[in-house]
Amino acid sequence: MKSIKVTLIFNILFFLGAFNVFAQKSDFDAEITVTPIVSSQSEIPFWFRANTGNEFSEFTNLSGVLNSTYKYEFNKSSLELGAYVYLRDGVEKNLERRDLYIEYKSDFFKATLGSKQRDEAFFGLSSTNQNYLYSNNARPLPGLIVEANEPFTVFNIFKVDWGIGHFLLNDDRYVKDVRLHYKRLNVTTALSQKSNLTLGLQHFSQWGGTSPDYGNLKDDFAGFFNVFIANKSTEIGVDGEIQNAVGNHLGSFLVRYELITDAFNFSFYHEHPFEDGSGTAFKNFPDGVWGVTLKPKNNSFVKGILYEYVDTRSQSGRARPDSYFTNLVYTSGWTYEKNIIGSPFFKTDNSLTASQFVRTIIGSRFQVHHLGVTGSVKNFDWKLKMSYSKNLGKYGSEFNPTQKDFYSMMEVAYPFNKVHKIRVFSGLDLANVSNTIIAAGFSYTYKFLD
């Protein structure tokens, strides 16, 4: 194994050297960031840590980051190497990567090998980074994804966005070495000169791996084909799983309307989740994310406003609930390193070990109102996020009382020049079943210039 890794590294270096010979332009960017946090409790506020790729854990008070990219540009394509590494307290592994990848881009597609965090959506105001299933709450998953670089036009009517990927859940979990299949397809059409409509579908499936109870789960081509088309099968033979597709499937439908005027850009979107046939039949309606965004064009003080309503209470009803983000076979659920991969409002029991045959997620039925606003005053950039959540627990295992939480965060950032940037932020969490958390932090970033 060691010789294979050495050979792989050598080949990568050889090809990068060859690319450098033919490259027309190359750029190197790097920066370091140091962030201390002071909190009234041992925990820090929700919006200090949620959707940060686990850069900040629940108990982090100090973080240091090194972020670097090296990009080769050719005539009609580019190759980029990226690494984002952090060192922080409050976690078992203090030093970890967030990003570590090689990415190739052409006019038609891009391919990313390794781990790379998704780009920030709408100023970072969304509670899910505008993806209910794959927010930036957990560290980016290692794997390979090939996707559209930009949506391409079909018949001068539609714009099509697509992606397909294969990832590995290589963390400490009940079923070891689980594979993850991913695909998406979004189609946008113009309704008028100023408005358009997007319809989309994304699909994830956990499959394969080694279970302490069922042994090696199917990971051959036939198994992958069944996973790809979400085919029903009795390969595993687990009661309850036979009635569903092979593997643990998760997906969402997207409907987004956009209006573009001279004064503002407006959008309305709904993400409808599904995990089995009842979800695809909309028996769990109105569950999902309902959101609106407003982006003024002639107002720098307010650059963006976002409101999201998130509801997961239906789950197709008590008689046969979907039990979002959980599964009978893959009991670690929709988590990576005990962090929720999707919407961060799901509650988990992190005291559970990977060897325990219990479901990690204990609070999956919730209702959330979320508001985000951002803007600037002269050279100062500011951002505000507030969320109110009511979590009922799960069907058959309800919280008593219902857990009610208010999460808030305010930040102000100021770039001195191209090299220095500071950010000051504060947060307040209120809850009916836990202590009030008040905290403040300071972040300093130094950017290395060529």
Side-chain angles (χ1 to χ4, degrees), residues 117 143 181 418:
Q117 183 148 294
H181 165 68
K418 294 182 179 180

Side-chain angles (χ1 to χ4, degrees), residues 30-293:
E31 62 183 25
I32 57 173
T33 302
V34 179
T35 306
I37 297 173
V38 177
S39 178
S40 62
Q41 305 291 333
S42 57
E43 303 91 347
I44 62 175
F46 179 84
W47 282 122
F48 280 25
R49 52 186 171 83
N51 291 343
T52 64
N54 202 31
E55 178 179 338
F56 298 93
S57 75
E58 186 178 3
F59 303 103
T60 295
N61 296 116
L62 181 63
S63 170
V65 169
L66 172 61
N67 181 22
S68 62
T69 58
Y70 194 37
K71 187 174 183 179
Y72 299 86
E73 292 187 1
F74 308 99
N75 186 24
K76 293 184 178 181
S77 61
S78 66
L79 186 72
E80 179 178 294
L81 290 80
Y84 190 109
V85 182
Y86 33 57
L87 177 67
R88 72 272 198 242
D89 64 351
V91 293
E92 183 178 345
K93 297 180 180 179
N94 301 110
L95 179 64
E96 286 186 308
R97 61 88 191 151
R98 190 196 75 181
D99 300 347
L100 188 62
Y101 65 89
I102 299 176
E103 184 174 81
Y104 173 80
K105 286 184 180 181
S106 71
D107 292 339
F108 305 104
F109 75 95
K110 63 180 177 181
T112 307
L113 175 65
S115 305
K116 183 183 180 184
Q117 183 148 294
R118 295 175 57 247
D119 293 338
E120 189 177 76
F122 200 75
F123 306 105
L125 298 178
S126 171
S127 67
T128 64
N129 200 39
Q130 294 192 338
N131 194 321
Y132 165 81
L133 293 177
Y134 197 9
S135 70
N136 286 332
N137 196 56
R139 286 200 305 155
L141 305 176
L144 170 66
I145 182 169
V146 181
E147 56 192 333
N149 191 20
E150 295 289 342
F152 64 92
T153 302
V154 179
F155 304 128
N156 293 321
I157 300 175
F158 304 106
K159 287 188 176 181
V160 179
D161 171 61
W162 60 274
I164 185 167
H166 182 82
F167 302 93
L168 181 64
L169 299 175
N170 59 347
D171 55 333
D172 184 20
R173 54 200 305 119
Y174 191 75
V175 178
K176 306 296 183 183
D177 300 323
V178 177
R179 302 182 183 190
L180 180 64
H181 165 68
Y182 165 74
K183 55 181 174 286
R184 76 169 186 272
L185 181 66
N186 299 317
V187 179
T188 301
T189 184
L191 300 178
S192 68
Q193 291 184 343
K194 294 186 177 181
S195 64
N196 58 67
L197 178 68
T198 299
L199 301 178
L201 167 69
Q202 69 172 343
H203 172 228
F204 291 90
S205 180
Q206 295 174 309
W207 67 293
T210 303
S211 168
D213 305 288
Y214 309 109
N216 293 328
L217 304 177
K218 290 290 185 180
D219 60 2
D220 55 10
F221 179 78
F224 173 74
F225 180 76
N226 286 328
V227 165
F228 188 89
I229 64 174
N231 186 38
K232 293 183 179 180
S233 173
T234 58
E235 290 175 326
I236 298 177
V238 181
D239 290 340
E241 288 303 296
I242 297 176
Q243 302 171 15
N244 295 318
V246 176
N248 179 28
H249 293 256
L250 307 93
S252 65
F253 297 111
L254 172 67
V255 178
R256 181 173 62 239
Y257 169 80
E258 294 177 287
L259 175 65
I260 302 173
T261 72
D262 295 335
F264 60 84
N265 290 358
F266 168 84
S267 74
F268 164 81
Y269 54 93
H270 173 54
E271 264 194 288
H272 175 82
F274 63 86
E275 298 196 11
D276 56 22
S278 61
T280 55
F282 289 85
K283 293 181 181 179
N284 58 341
F285 189 84
D287 281 359
V289 181
W290 303 80
V292 293
T293 66

